[in-house]
Every structure is written in C-alpha cells, then in structure tokens.
Amino acid sequence: MAELLQLRNIQKSFPGVKALDGVSFTVRAGEVHALMGENGAGKSTLIKVMTGVHTLDSGEILLEGKPIQIKSPQDAVSQGISTVYQEVNLVPNLSLAENICLGRESAGFTGIKWKEVKERAERAMARLGLNVDVRRPLGSFSIAIQQMAAIARALDVDAKVLVLDEPTSSLDRDEVKQLFEAITKLKNEGMGIVFVTHFLDQVYAVSDHITVLRNGNNVGDAPIDQLPRLELVSMMIGRDASALESERVAKDPIQSTSFIETQDMGHSGSVEGVNFTIGSGEVLGLAGLLGSGRTETVRLLYGIDSANHGELKIDGRSASGHKTSKAIASGFGLCPEDRKLEGILPDLSVRENLTIVLQARQGWFRKLSRSKQDEIVQVFIDSLRIKTASPETPIKNLSGGNQQKVILARWLAANPRLLLLDEPTRGIDVGAKFEISALIEKLRKEGMAFVFVSSELEEVVRSCTKIAVMRDRKMVGMLTGEEASEEKVMSMIAGGEA
Amino acid sequence: MKAIFTKERLPIIATSLVCIAIYVAAGLKFEGFFSLRVFLNFLTDNAFLGITAVGVTFVILSGGIDLSVGSMVGCTGIMTAVLIQNKHLHPALAIATVLLFGLLLGCGHGLLIQKFNLPPFLVTLAGLFLARGLGLWISKESVQIDHPFFSALAGIKISLPNGASLPISAILFLVVLVAGIVLAKQTRFGRTVYAIGGNESSAMLMGLSVGKTKIWIYALSGFCSALAGVVYTIYTSSGNALSGTGLELDAIAAVVIGGTLLSGGYGSVFGSFLGVLILAMIQTAINFDGSLSSWWTRIAIGTLLLIFMLLQKGIEVSARRTSKKAGH
C-alpha cells in the first residue's frame, strides 16, 4: 500500500510539557489506522499537528512522498487532510447542505447557486449511504447524522486523509455501525483514515493498523492482527494487563439496610416503573442503551425532575416534591453526564472546583480558610493521583480523566452517603477508568453507596453489586449476584425475556 | 418536517403578522393612513434608521453588537456639513470622505475585536463615546448646508402616481436593503456571518476566514451608519453632532423585533426591514392620533420587544426539545 501521509520524528513542546518527543506516524492509502493512547499520551497533539491547529517544533510531514508544511486548519483541508472532531464542529443554524459546502459554495454572478449546493451535498451524503433532506437545518438531525455531515464535508473537498477524532463517543450502537459502514466504504475508495477512539471493540471492528502513543513517544506500531487486545491495553497504560482483571467486585448480595426505596417511580415522558432499593455499601448499576431512561432515573433521585407517579422513599419517609436542595441535604452527590457543561467550572482552579461543595455545605458566609482548602486539595490530589501542574491550575487545562477525578473529589470531600455517577468514565482513558472503578470499590467497602451509569456494559458488570436494567424508558429487571453477567444484561437490554 | 419548517420561520412570520396587524388597525382607525404617501413616508422618515439597521443586522447575526452607530450618524452628519460649508469641499468629495471615515472606524472596531479578542460591547461603546465626542469637537452648533450640488442631490426623487414620490433617502434605503439581503443570502461573506453566529469555533475549524469576515462585518456596520449620517444630512439639509442619539438602541430593537436572535445565527435583513416598518408605523399612528404623547412610541416598542424576546425564547426551548428527541 502506498504511503499517503507520513509524519517523521515530530517534536512539539508546550510551556512546561514535552507533548511529542520524536513521534513518527504513517497512514497508507486504503487503510484505517487507529491512533491509541491514554489522555495525555500525545494523541490530540499529534492530530492537531496533522491538521494544522498546532505547528510542529521539528520533524517533517510528507504527503504522497512530498514534504509539506501545514500552516492552519484551512491549509490542511486544502492540502487534502480533513478532520472530523468528537464534538461536531459544524454550525447548527444552517442547513445540512450548507454545512457540507460552506466556504466553497458554487457561486456565479448572481451569488451562490443553491441548487448546485444541494446536489453536491446529496451526492456526498449518498456516498456515505445516506438519503436525507439536506435542506433541513443541521441542528434538527441526530448527532450521528451531524457527524456524517462532517465526513461528507471532507468528501466534498476530495480529502485524501480523513482524521476521525473520537467520532463515536456520542453515538449509539446502530449509529456506530452506520458510521463504520461509511468508513469502510471510504477506505475501499482508497482514502487513508486515522481513527482515534477509547473504545477497544471499535478499534478491532474497523481498523487495519494500530499506532500506540504513551507520554509523547511511539510505543507500538503494528497491523491489527499482530496486536492482541491485552497487549494493546498494556502498551497504552504501561503496566501489566493481568493486574487489571483483579478488580472485580464480589457478587454476593450486600447485607445492609436500604435508605432509598422506590416503588414504581416515574416521570411522565421520561421514565417509568423504577423499583429498587439502595443501601450503604451498594453500587447500583443502571444498564441500558442511550436514551433508555438511565439519566432520567438519576435526575429523579437527585431531584432535578420530581417523580410524578409512584413513590420515592428516603430514610423510610416519602419524598414527594423531592428537590435538588433536599437531595443534597440528604447527603446525595451527583457527577453529571456532561462534564464540560454541568460538571466543571472551567475557568476556576482545581482547588476552587474541588472545595466548592464543601464550602457550600459549610455556608457561604463561613469561608473555608485557605490553609484548610490547600490541605484538603492536597489530600485528594495525592490519593486520587490527579495530574495537575498545581492546585491553582484552571481545571479546563486538565485532561478529561483528571477533570473527572476532581469532580469526584469535590463530592468525596463532603463525604456523601450516596454518589450518583452518570457516565463517570466517558471520554477518559483506560488507566483513569480503572483507577475510578478501584476508587468506587474502596469507598463502597467503607460504606458509601453509589448509583453508577455507564454505556460500557463490562464496566457496569465489573463495578456494581446489583444492576437495574433499563429499556425504552422503563426499568425491565434487577439482577444481583451471579445473575449479573454481561450476557444476561445484554439479553435483557435486547428485549429477551427478563 | 413541515413543522420544523414553520418553526424556523416562526419569528419572521410573527413579525410579518404584527406588521400587517398594526398597519390594518391603524389604517382602520385613522383616515388617510392607507395612502401611498404615508407608506412612502415610513421609508423616507426612517431611511437613516433603516440603513443603520441593515449594518447592525450583520453584526448581530454574527453574535456581536455595535453600539457606535448612533453617534456615528451624528459625527458623520456634522462632518459632512462642516466639510461642505466651512472647508468648501465639493459635496461628492465630502460624502466620499465621511463614508471612508465610517468604513475605517468600523474596521478599527473589527480589528480590536478580532485581534485582541475584546468584547464587541465595550469596543463599540468606546466607539460611541469617541464618535460623539469627535462630532461635538468639530462643531457644537448645527450647521446648515447651502450648496447647489447638495440641494440638487437632496432634490432627486422618483415620481409615483397620485403625487407621491420616492425621495433620495428612501431610494438609498431600498438600495441598501436589497444589497443587504443579497449579501446575506447569496454570498460567502453572508453565509460566513451566519456560521460565525451559529458557532464561531466551528466556523474556524471548517476553514472559513472568520477573522477577516468579522473585521468586514464591523466595517460594513461603520459604513452603513456613515451612509445613514449622510442620508440624515440630506433629509434635514444640515449637520448636527447630536443627531442619532439613542439611534443604536432603535436599530437593535428593530433588528430583534425583526426576528434576529441577539445571540446570533438566526435572522434576516428583510426581518430588520419589517422591524423598522413596525417602529415607523407605531410612531406615525401615534402622530395621527395627536392626543397621545410621543413617549407612547417608546412604551409600544418596549412592549413589543418583550413579547418578541419571549416568543424567541419559546421557540428556542421547543427547538431544543425536538433536537433532544432527535438525538435519542
């Protein structure tokens, strides 16, 4: 296969950090090349060098054998390197067709030729196997289609190399399948595709070749069939993979008095028929597909929405008119699904983000002394191994996994009775994932209770003491003990008999 | 799918309906309101507001704001008058000079906003003070323009049946309006403005020239407000540094009533035209009534603004709901 894009010996430093230390990376025509690594391994920096967001310090880039320089994202696109990001970087207010052609619309003397724009967009979408009304505003489509539109935009400029940066994070199973079909189609047309993801299954489903980065260095570069899964994981995290398997929760039912009890709890239009109990030392998993009512259940428990039928009992008392303030007063904490939007206060420091719940609990007029704050923050930075330049670094500068640890620490500092974790491991790297599950297990043993929502079934099964299975906005069953296996949960989600 | 179509168009439909409703109501109540002459007066009397609003529409569509346009009208007005009257410059040259001045000042706003990432509100607030101060420094007194070429220019009009006519200021307004509509709908510049308003960082990553476009947006607004200043001097045959006080707020009101979202991305130049018409009709209707004080115009505008804001919020919320459903 012909080498399409070669990066040789790339160096890139930021103040205080050497992000890339002599990385080489080659994409061939007609291959899907997975770029793997934990957060902070240098993946994003490498992608940004490739796509012109960052300029490299030293090293060279060759496109089809010729050395090139990439000055800006625009420049990268015009040379044939297009990128589709995790967050769809298109504009929701314009039509899908415009989003595909924006900036290079066919134009004549009378201005933009809308008919041609529409036809071009339809052609590009058809190449991905999609037939949609391209005149509708982009924002009215599902994230999956929006992502496809971003890819279609790359096709419209005849991209040679397509970089997909975590494209599947917000897609459900079917949508991922649809995306992979499109990727395979493009691959067979001779395009070189760089695929960045955290999902191992997906890497093995669609890639031909894997490059692994760790701490700004190449640590692996092999065809997919020569790199077994376990070896890949141990390359990524730099430790022996067999140690990871040991963190499995005992499946014996936990003996504890429950302090939360729901009876047919529901909220019209969002979720129905939720029945469970939670006691200290329990981790209740909510398993189900995206949109099955998992987040909605968490919202009910935390009082963001209040249940309008059935019953929620806290400490034996009926909690009608449950509100967030009451939830917090009952000792509940929430790590929300959307970390960026609902979790972190991006411009505040790690210290401020971490102590805010404690401060709120104490009362806003009784300020936590600075020395007390520093002490608490240091304890959590050490015990959760939060990687930050200093406690005063703005949290937005931390990697996703470390941000999540700060959010966890924010609640742990207040020592909650029940912590609601909605997708706590989304978009964070494998190492941090395991650290977070180990932390949950440790705290559980000390008597804390958790509700754990995750799209990764393996993770739910591994960390939870019992699992409530959700399907189509209803709770369809509760699994405990040995029953709580991946196969069983899967068959219930799929609609097999409960 | 049809439902989304209407939802998208709802603000502009609402604006059109309000526009028609006010027109019909005032027309039924006041004799002579329906005449062509009255209608043309909407355009003539508000030409400077309309031209300003076209420029401001682009700024707001991009998610920005321009507060300097009102004092720009005063500043360029007095400049034109002084250049012609005291400096004896040929009117054509004087007009060209102030238009260039407006363009450059707008460009300056754009550069500061773009290069130093300063908030448009503050940059153009500084522009507001600077332009007003400069105007007053040039002349505190109103300056009458008396020049044959200028009088000839002010006399240009298109005669229409029934003794009605379209004077130069209204003609300029309509020209700017059509140019604005075409610019917004049919050019890459216009579409980039919408994209910036939709999501600026996305627009950048899509490879659009966001920086250049933003500078041009403010330059365009500066140019439009300078042209509005010229039109105002033509309309009054004089320049006054204090004219256009508060005009920036009328322009923003017209744009928002016209269905453009203050947060950018959604709206249209034609909507702003309807917004200007609505303001004009309210004012005229109150004049026709005679018993109401002119402050009722303000009360009516305030009420309308509130209603439109709530309407837009409602649309936004329901749009979010549908997109959430689509996402699941």
Side-chain angles (χ1 to χ4, degrees), chain A residues 2-7 25-29 50 61-65 68 70 81 161 163 194:
Chain A
E3 273 104 24
L4 203 52
L5 177 71
Q6 286 173 278
L7 285 84
F25 182 73
T26 303
V27 191
R28 291 161 202 87
M50 243 183 265
I61 304 178
L62 288 83
L63 186 65
E64 295 179 312
I68 56 161
I70 304 171
I81 305 169
V161 179
V163 181
V194 180

Side-chain angles (χ1 to χ4, degrees), chain B residues 106 147 188 210 241 321:
Chain B
H147 189 285
R188 278 187 197 162
V210 170
R321 246 180 238 146

